Amino acid sequence: MAGLQKILIILLVLVLVLLALVFSLNNQMAVSLNFLLFETQPHGVAVWIIMAFVIGALFGVLMTVLATVRTSVSRRTLKKRLDRAEQALEKTRAENDRTL
C-alpha cells in the first residue's frame, strides 16, 4: 500500500512539473514588476506566477508548522496541569480515606 502511495505521489509531482513547464513555455512574455520604490528585472509571466505560488506554499507550510508547534506546547502545558490536578485529587482521596 505504501509503495502505491509513493508511486501516485511521484506521478502527481511529474504531472505538476509538466504542467508548469507547458505553462511557462506558453507565457514567455517578459514583464517587470513595479513596486513603490523599485522595479524588478523583467522575467516571464510564468516565472512570476510560479514564484508567487511557491512563496505562497512556503508561507502556508510555515504557518502550519507554527500552529502545530503552538498546539503542541499548549497540549504539553495542559497535560502537566492535568497530571498535577490528578495527583492532588489522589492525595485528597487518600487523606479522606484515612480520616474515615
Side-chain angles (χ1 to χ4, degrees):
M1 188 65 153
L4 179 62
Q5 186 177 11
K6 286 182 182 180
I7 291 172
L8 289 175
I9 289 172
I10 290 171
L11 285 175
L12 179 65
V13 168
L14 288 174
V15 167
L16 288 174
V17 167
L18 180 65
L19 287 173
L21 181 64
V22 169
F23 179 77
S24 66
L25 289 175
N26 287 328
N27 293 288
Q28 291 185 354
M29 185 170 75
V31 175
S32 63
L33 299 181
N34 189 2
F35 295 102
L36 290 175
L37 300 174
F38 66 98
E39 188 172 327
T40 64
Q41 295 290 326
H43 293 288
V45 174
V47 171
W48 292 118
I49 293 174
I50 291 171
M51 281 178 37
F53 176 76
V54 168
I55 290 170
L58 290 174
F59 186 73
V61 168
L62 177 66
M63 291 292 110
T64 302
V65 167
L66 290 176
T68 303
V69 167
R70 189 172 166 193
T71 302
S72 177
V73 168
S74 175
R75 182 179 165 268
R76 199 172 319 134
T77 302
L78 290 173
K79 176 84 169 114
K80 287 179 183 178
R81 285 178 59 195
L82 177 63
D83 289 343
R84 278 188 257 136
E86 287 176 344
Q87 288 173 356
L89 179 63
E90 288 298 322
K91 183 179 177 183
T92 305
R93 283 182 179 165
E95 289 174 359
N96 285 343
D97 288 343
R98 275 189 263 147
T99 59
L100 291 177

